[in-house]
Amino acid sequence: MQAKPVEKLKLLSIENSAARISVDAATGWIRSFIWKSAGIDLFAETRRPIEGYIGGIRVFDEVARRWYDDFDGKFSVRWLKKGGRDKVLSFVKRFRGAPFSVKVTLSLANPHLSWDVSLAQDKGKKGNRQVKVVFFLPIIAGWNMWAPALNNPFTFDGMSSFEYMYNQG
């Protein structure tokens, strides 16, 4: 699936005093992430022929040895919460052929973003299922980054791989 220009999309947004996040209503992709104090939209740093970056997920099913992916997968989106006073965007994504559904919740509690994913195995499916969930966002060189797996914040150099791995079995 190809990303459309942001100005042609129906976006759903949540915001707090520090940031505003906007999500494409049709895909569930994050398409804008504005840091208010700096006036920078993380997703506006584009170059041709790219119409803009997306924030999304990839899910690897360890049992089926298959990726389900926002980049090139077929999926549908059903919205649960579309913003408002609770500052929450929440939807269920169904990747074609996946034996599970994926619930995605984005929330803003000053000043932090929480991006949560939970999977529910389809009814009638038995057995354990182990998956790997990958979150992706464009990261601009020079930004200070931190994740719970790291001891200290670091400055992203624009070239090095930044991966935060969390395993829950």
Side-chain angles (χ1 to χ4, degrees):
M1 185 177 279
Q2 181 133 6
K4 295 178 184 175
V6 172
E7 55 275 359
K8 294 184 178 183
L9 302 174
K10 177 183 176 193
L11 297 175
L12 300 172
S13 300
I14 54 174
E15 65 182 291
N16 63 17
S17 61
R20 180 174 59 238
I21 299 170
S22 299
V23 175
D24 180 352
T27 63
W29 295 345
I30 300 172
R31 292 304 307 272
S32 176
F33 195 160
I34 297 172
W35 300 109
K36 291 180 177 182
S37 64
I40 294 173
D41 186 344
L42 178 64
F43 292 79
E45 303 294 319
T46 61
R47 60 178 184 251
R48 294 287 170 203
I50 298 170
E51 291 296 345
Y53 297 107
I54 68 170
I57 60 170
R58 300 180 75 206
V59 180
F60 184 70
D61 183 337
E62 298 279 356
V63 174
R65 310 294 303 160
R66 180 174 173 191
W67 282 102
Y68 298 97
D69 196 321
D70 272 347
F71 282 120
D72 57 13
K74 303 286 186 193
F75 54 81
S76 63
V77 173
R78 178 176 53 88
W79 282 91
L80 303 173
K81 291 187 177 185
K82 296 183 177 182
R85 289 185 196 165
D86 58 358
K87 298 180 173 132
V88 173
L89 295 171
S90 182
F91 57 89
V92 174
K93 185 169 278 193
R94 285 292 319 195
F95 289 100
R96 185 186 305 166
F100 50 80
S101 59
V102 182
K103 180 181 176 185
V104 178
T105 303
L106 296 160
S107 61
L108 283 171
N110 281 336
H112 306 287
L113 164 67
S114 176
W115 188 0
D116 299 304
V117 171
S118 62
L119 281 73
Q121 190 160 276
D122 292 347
K123 291 181 181 174
K125 298 286 183 182
K126 294 187 178 185
N128 291 329
R129 180 149 244 104
Q130 185 171 354
V131 298
K132 180 188 316 181
V133 177
V134 178
F135 299 85
F136 55 88
L137 287 171
I139 301 174
I140 297 171
W143 281 28
N144 292 324
M145 304 299 299
W146 176 84
L150 303 172
N151 293 330
N152 298 307
F154 69 96
T155 301
F156 181 63
D157 63 12
M159 301 296 285
S160 300
S161 175
F162 169 63
E163 295 180 0
Y164 166 61
M165 303 295 277
Y166 174 75
N167 185 20
Q168 182 176 350

